[in-house]
Amino acid sequence: MLSMIVIDNVGSSEAEPPLRRRWLCLLLLLVLIYGSHAPLISLTIVDGRVPFSPSSCVLLIEFIKLVLSFAALVASGNLSGLKISAWTVAPYAVPALLYAFNNNLVVFMQAYMDPSSFQVLSNLKIASTALLYTACLGKRLRLGQWLALGMLVAAGVCHSYSGLEGEASDESAVRLHITSWGLLLVLVYCFISGLAAVYTERVLKTQRLPLSLQNLFLYVFGVGINLASHLSGGGQQGFFEGFSALVWLIIAGQAANGLLMSVIMKHGTGITRLFVISSSMLVNGVLSWGILGIQLTPYFLFPVVLIGWAVYLYYSDFFFPCWIRCAMELLDFLLELQVL
């Protein structure tokens, strides 16, 4: 499935096979890290709660990414000759602020909806990211590509809904509900999520700086904001309390995930990131079944088909018969001329 995903500038048909294989390995590794995150956290739960401080974990992840970025910058020998100003660094504060705002918004909006409704509706961030991608970066998508992204949204909704089947039969489960304020807040959340991703991609691509230096700027602000959040939390739990080998594995995986995803954002596209995240749902489901013993429902097969179809449709020029592709190209042309 992921072997069809093309990374701009490196995944073209002219690229050497070894290079394409490396990008495929990168995508598969990202899907595995994303998909294994939630099941691994579930394995750490003791007496219905995680034994460690989530804010400590996030802060440590940001700090490790910062240290690794600095080490990569030093090892590359790109320190000499760099001219850095406050105007160069300032744009990297925006993504950190946007993500911090969204993290707090998720907690705040729980008062206006149940967690399951949020899980389903949050898939709209795929659509918001695609819309902002075309509007802010000037990237034009074909009609077939829009259809593929719509399939990703449908796959996400179906995957989220499949987890509600068991809750529906549980009398103690929280009743599904959402208020008008909740709907507004989840739309704001999806917009901010898409804006942060598109803005980060734009900054990484427009500034001609080494990626390791750009990551350094990003994670300096990330560490600062998460440190402030951790200190303001005022929790009584020790910083490393509850840390086990499994927790350190989660931290290492998420640190690697952040650094590898920056490569996708720098040399690929935010759309590729969406496909990676959507494909990780399948890994999440399989690991939850194999490790946690969670029963998969028949709904699980539907997102599998949708995601595979979406990948093929988005990255293949030969999915439809010739006459359908010609009709789509004609419709795209008419829409561009604003005839329709």
Side-chain angles (χ1 to χ4, degrees):
M1 183 186 298
L2 287 173
S3 61
M4 300 192 59
I5 296 181
V6 177
I7 306 293
D8 290 353
N9 303 323
V10 296
S12 62
S13 58
E14 292 82 5
E16 298 180 358
L19 183 60
R20 299 193 67 174
R21 282 197 294 268
R22 286 197 292 269
W23 278 104
L24 176 59
C25 291
L26 171 62
L27 293 172
L28 291 173
L29 181 59
L30 280 169
V31 169
L32 178 62
I33 293 174
Y34 259 104
S36 63
H37 182 56
L40 288 178
I41 290 180
S42 297
L43 289 176
T44 67
I45 293 177
V46 178
D47 296 329
R49 58 180 292 270
V50 291
F52 57 90
S53 168
S55 62
S56 299
C57 188
V58 173
L59 177 57
L60 199 54
I61 291 170
E62 292 297 304
F63 180 73
I64 291 175
K65 289 190 289 187
L66 175 64
V67 172
L68 291 177
S69 298
F70 179 74
L73 181 63
V74 173
S76 66
N78 290 325
L79 284 172
S80 59
L82 289 175
K83 296 181 179 180
I84 307 300
S85 66
W87 293 109
T88 304
V89 180
Y92 294 90
V94 177
L97 291 172
L98 290 175
Y99 285 123
F101 176 83
N102 249 15
N103 290 337
N104 287 279
L105 183 61
V106 169
V107 178
F108 177 74
M109 72 172 66
Q110 299 305 314
Y112 300 95
M113 72 184 71
D114 64 283
S116 297
S117 295
F118 168 73
Q119 185 180 9
V120 173
L121 292 173
S122 64
N123 290 286
L124 293 174
K125 64 186 178 184
I126 296 175
S128 65
T129 302
L131 290 171
L132 290 168
Y133 176 78
T134 56
C136 299
L137 300 183
K139 303 292 185 178
R140 182 171 173 270
L141 300 179
R142 293 180 286 103
L143 187 61
Q145 291 176 319
W146 280 112
L147 180 59
L149 293 173
M151 289 179 180
L152 285 189
V153 176
V157 170
C158 185
H159 179 73
S160 301
Y161 180 76
S162 66
L164 304 182
E165 191 177 65
E167 296 182 12
S169 59
D170 186 358
E171 295 181 357
S172 63
V174 178
R175 179 176 172 270
L176 298 181
H177 72 279
I178 182 169
T179 65
S180 55
W181 267 110
L183 181 59
L184 176 62
L185 290 175
V186 78
L187 291 177
V188 171
Y189 166 82
C190 292
F191 174 79
I192 296 297
S193 177
L195 180 62
V198 171
Y199 179 87
T200 302
E201 180 179 348
R202 183 177 181 85
V203 171
L204 290 178
K205 288 182 176 178
T206 54
Q207 290 195 358
R208 297 186 176 278
L209 295 173
L211 179 58
S212 54
L213 180 60
Q214 292 178 308
N215 280 336
L216 187 67
F217 294 154
L218 282 171
Y219 300 133
V220 162
F221 290 109
V223 168
I225 290 176
N226 283 283
L227 177 60
S229 175
H230 176 73
L231 295 176
S232 64
Q236 301 299 319
Q237 197 171 12
F239 190 88
F240 292 105
E241 184 179 343
F243 275 47
S244 61
L246 189 57
V247 175
W248 283 109
L249 177 62
I250 293 171
I251 291 172
Q254 290 308 297
N257 172 64
L259 294 171
L260 294 176
M261 188 55 74
S262 67
V263 177
I264 299 295
M265 301 295 282
K266 177 78 170 181
H267 301 290
T269 69
I271 302 297
T272 300
R273 171 180 170 271
L274 294 179
F275 277 94
V276 168
I277 296 174
S278 296
S279 299
S280 69
M281 295 187 302
L282 310 182
V283 175
N284 182 296
V286 172
L287 290 180
S288 296
W289 167 72
I291 298 176
L292 304 177
I294 295 177
Q295 186 66 36
L296 296 179
T297 69
Y299 289 108
F300 181 74
L301 295 177
F302 192 48
V304 171
V305 174
L306 281 177
I307 292 173
W309 192 8
V311 169
Y312 198 66
L313 178 58
Y314 191 91
Y315 292 100
S316 174
D317 292 329
F318 306 101
F319 183 76
F320 287 118
C322 180
W323 68 271
I324 297 182
R325 285 190 280 112
C326 290
M328 284 188 168
E329 290 175 3
L330 177 60
L331 182 58
D332 282 338
F333 178 72
L334 294 175
L335 288 173
E336 185 176 359
L337 294 179
Q338 297 182 348
V339 172
L340 298 180

